[in-house]
Amino acid sequence: MTADPVAGRDRVDPAHPLLVAVAPLLDRVGAELVAPERITPSDVPLVWEGETVAGVRLPDPPGETPSEAVGDLGRLLADLATELGAPLRDLPRPQKQRAVRLLEERGAFTYRKSAETVAEALNVSRFTVYNYLNRNRG
C-alpha cells in the first residue's frame, strides 16, 4: 500500500484505523492510496466519520486504458503512453502539454466527452486540458 508522493501535500495517514483495516485488501488487488486532494473521478474515496481520509486508485487491467477511455480514443491514449514511455498521469507538466498537442493533432478531441477522458488520463482538470489546447492554438 503506497501513497502518492506529493511533497508537502500528501495527507494520507497510514496509521488511520480505516486505512489499517483496508491495507490487506489494497495489497491483494494492487491498489494504491492517494491523498484526498489527489483523488480523481476514477478513484474510490474512503470516508471516515464524514471526512475523506484517502482515495483508492485501482490498477488498470493489463493492456487497457482508464475505464472512461473506450474505443478509438482509448487506443490513442494507450498508444501515446507507450510512445512517451510512461503512464500519462505520471508525466511532468511539459510532457502533459506535449501529450495534449499530439492528441489534438491525432484527432482525439473530435470524440464526445474527450476533454474529460483526456483530463482523467492525465490526472488534471478538464479546465487544464482546455488551457493546454488554447496554448497550442495561440
Side-chain angles (χ1 to χ4, degrees):
M1 166 175 73
T2 60
D4 258 3
V6 182
R9 293 187 352 172
D10 192 354
R11 298 182 307 148
V12 174
D13 175 10
H16 190 284
L18 176 59
L19 304 184
V20 170
V22 300
L25 175 62
L26 299 180
D27 287 339
R28 179 70 180 249
V29 300
E32 66 178 314
L33 288 177
V34 293
E37 60 274 3
R38 303 281 297 169
I39 293 174
T40 67
S42 62
D43 296 331
V44 179
L46 296 177
V47 180
W48 180 269
E49 297 179 345
E51 177 188 355
T52 302
V53 295
V56 174
R57 183 162 296 153
L58 297 168
D60 292 324
E64 292 187 23
T65 56
S67 59
E68 303 264 335
V70 295
D72 292 337
L73 181 54
R75 282 190 286 284
L76 282 172
L77 292 169
D79 291 347
L80 185 59
T82 300
E83 180 181 330
L84 297 177
L88 298 177
R89 70 175 47 252
D90 294 342
L91 296 173
R93 188 178 72 176
Q95 285 293 87
K96 288 181 179 185
Q97 292 169 337
R98 179 174 176 235
V100 169
R101 184 178 69 250
L102 292 170
L103 288 167
E104 182 178 31
E105 290 171 4
R106 296 170 188 179
F109 295 99
T110 61
Y111 296 95
R112 186 172 179 266
K113 297 199 175 204
S114 57
E116 292 88 344
T117 303
V118 170
E120 182 178 346
L122 292 172
N123 196 32
V124 298
S125 69
R126 188 181 59 181
F127 180 74
T128 298
V129 170
Y130 289 128
N131 280 339
Y132 291 170
L133 283 168
N134 289 333
R135 173 175 288 177
N136 293 337
R137 293 175 184 154

